[in-house]
Amino acid sequence: MTKTILPGAWELTATNPTCKLSAMYVPTAWRQVANNLAQQRAKLQGKSYRAVPVYSLDPLVVGSFPKIIKTLRNGWQKDNVPWLLATETTNISDLGNLIKDWLIEEFSTLEDVESQLANLNNDDWRWEDSQTYELLYPQNKVETNNLYQAIPDYLAKEFLKNPRVYFGVDEQYELTFYRVVSLQGAELMSWPPSEITVTKGKETTETAYISFVIEFVLQTVPWREKPIVYHQLSIRRWLTKPLNYVPYPGVKAHIGDNRRWLDGQRQAFCFIPLMMNRYRKEVKWPQAISNLFSLNDSQLPDANNFVSNPNHNWSGINLRG
């Protein structure tokens, strides 16, 4: 019997691949305060949407600790649903301060935010015991849902065991790939950028800098029992000239680091996408991330200078440190 193979798609057939995940739940007191703030703002603005805006928190937390592979927003609504799932744990003594800073910035239109946060205990946050799951044989719906991040994460780790790719007639071209933090599948990006010449019209040429991007995603396919792994190939062109106009709400930067922002410990070098938010004519990094860096005696480059020099520190980066 033959199988139909879809272009650019696979079934995972590794020998008994597993994934160890640790969960974190939102403490009751924190969930109550966050929901109260969301309801206050909705009432003030005359809006019906009153849920905690976790969409703006998740990228900050995941960027601070890239081993988080999945977030469940219902974790801020229900006490029996985890908020985070991670492939390893880390010191979270600064997590409470990060979330408080996010709440202060997110609900800046309210007057009494800090007073509502005063009694929240940073020690309430903790990791649950880890559990190991089989990727080919999920036992229930929860485990099946976890596969959509767990399998791409597994494939990215396997790829990075040999991160260099050679191609060309005599394999004269070489690309080295690194992980890009993402909650949508798993993304790999080549670095440093490749310099290419772009022709416009018959005479005008300019130099462009690009990275090659590989993304692994798991998708369901009609009439198939198991979801299929797809790879998506693309390029990312980098800004090298000053950005004269920053669109609302901001622009995204990719910051490479071999230290975890949450606790300052070493990690495999990866790229962390971080939004620079626009406030009138200025751009700023998220307050929660800026304050977290300050706690660890470090800092990001000035956001406005970064917009003026978008290829900041390309050549001075330490990929192996």
Side-chain angles (χ1 to χ4, degrees):
M1 180 178 178
T2 60
K3 282 190 175 182
T4 301
I5 301 177
L6 302 177
W10 308 275
E11 272 187 21
L12 184 62
T13 59
T15 304
N16 195 30
T18 61
C19 177
K20 185 173 74 171
L21 294 177
S22 299
M24 182 184 296
Y25 292 79
V26 180
T28 301
W30 291 73
R31 187 171 64 250
Q32 291 174 344
V33 168
N35 277 277
N36 183 54
L37 290 170
Q39 292 172 16
Q40 286 183 45
R41 184 170 66 179
K43 184 177 180 180
L44 181 67
Q45 297 176 343
K47 296 182 179 180
S48 58
Y49 184 76
R50 299 171 180 267
V52 178
V54 191
Y55 61 83
S56 65
L57 171 62
D58 285 352
L60 306 182
V61 174
V62 175
S64 301
F65 179 47
K67 296 299 182 180
I68 296 169
I69 66 165
K70 186 176 181 181
T71 63
L72 295 90
R73 294 178 182 175
N74 282 343
W76 284 83
Q77 308 297 328
K78 302 177 181 179
D79 59 6
N80 61 341
V81 177
W83 168 40
L84 303 177
L85 293 174
T87 54
E88 67 179 46
T89 61
T90 184
N91 185 307
I92 53 174
S93 59
D94 287 336
L95 177 61
N97 289 325
L98 173 74
I99 294 175
K100 287 177 182 177
D101 288 332
W102 165 73
L103 288 168
I104 291 171
E105 185 173 29
E106 177 68 35
F107 296 101
S108 59
T109 56
L110 304 179
E111 296 181 354
D112 60 342
V113 177
E114 293 190 42
S115 64
Q116 295 189 53
L117 304 179
N119 294 325
L120 293 179
N121 187 351
N122 290 352
D123 294 333
D124 289 343
W125 294 94
R126 62 185 179 87
W127 292 104
E128 300 294 322
D129 292 338
S130 63
Q131 297 185 46
T132 300
Y133 304 95
E134 294 187 5
L135 296 182
L136 294 180
Y137 306 104
Q139 300 299 307
N140 51 52
K141 185 176 180 180
V142 172
E143 291 188 20
T144 299
N145 289 338
N146 289 343
L147 297 183
Y148 289 86
Q149 281 299 109
I151 287 181
D153 178 74
Y154 170 84
L155 291 172
K157 290 176 180 176
E158 290 295 306
F159 184 101
L160 291 177
K161 289 179 179 178
N162 186 15
R164 289 181 176 81
V165 174
Y166 300 90
F167 62 99
V169 177
D170 297 314
E171 295 190 339
Q172 71 269 38
Y173 301 110
E174 176 184 337
L175 297 175
T176 303
F177 284 86
Y178 299 90
R179 190 76 179 263
V180 179
V181 176
S182 174
L183 285 173
Q184 304 296 324
E187 184 178 317
L188 304 171
M189 182 174 71
S190 66
W191 193 265
S194 300
E195 182 178 330
I196 63 171
T197 300
V198 179
T199 302
K200 293 185 176 181
K202 295 183 179 180
E203 298 180 358
T204 304
T205 61
E206 64 178 37
T207 300
Y209 295 87
I210 64 171
S211 289
F212 294 86
V213 178
I214 304 172
E215 184 178 8
F216 295 112
V217 294
L218 192 70
Q219 296 180 355
T220 55
V221 177
W223 306 294
R224 291 190 65 95
E225 179 183 357
K226 294 183 179 180
I228 296 293
V229 179
Y230 288 87
H231 75 274
Q232 299 176 357
L233 306 178
S234 61
I235 62 172
R236 177 167 288 134
R237 181 172 177 177
W238 299 102
L239 293 175
T240 57
K241 298 178 181 179
L243 188 61
N244 296 322
Y245 174 75
V246 177
Y248 181 83
V251 294
K252 184 181 292 184
H254 284 72
I255 302 172
D257 211 334
N258 51 23
R259 287 188 180 274
R260 294 195 300 243
W261 295 352
L262 192 57
D263 62 0
Q265 296 299 309
R266 291 272 181 184
Q267 66 178 8
F269 183 89
C270 64
F271 286 96
I272 302 164
L274 189 61
M275 181 70 75
M276 292 187 292
N277 300 315
R278 194 190 83 181
Y279 299 90
R280 294 187 177 90
K281 295 183 178 181
E282 288 190 329
V283 289
K284 296 181 180 179
W285 300 109
Q287 177 178 319
I289 294 297
S290 295
N291 290 350
L292 182 63
F293 267 74
S294 297
L295 288 173
N296 292 309
D297 296 323
S298 185
Q299 63 180 8
L300 292 167
D302 178 80
N304 290 284
N305 291 340
F306 195 53
V307 169
S308 300
N309 179 25
N311 56 342
H312 174 82
N313 205 26
W314 276 9
S315 60
I317 199 164
N318 181 3
L319 297 174
R320 302 181 185 275

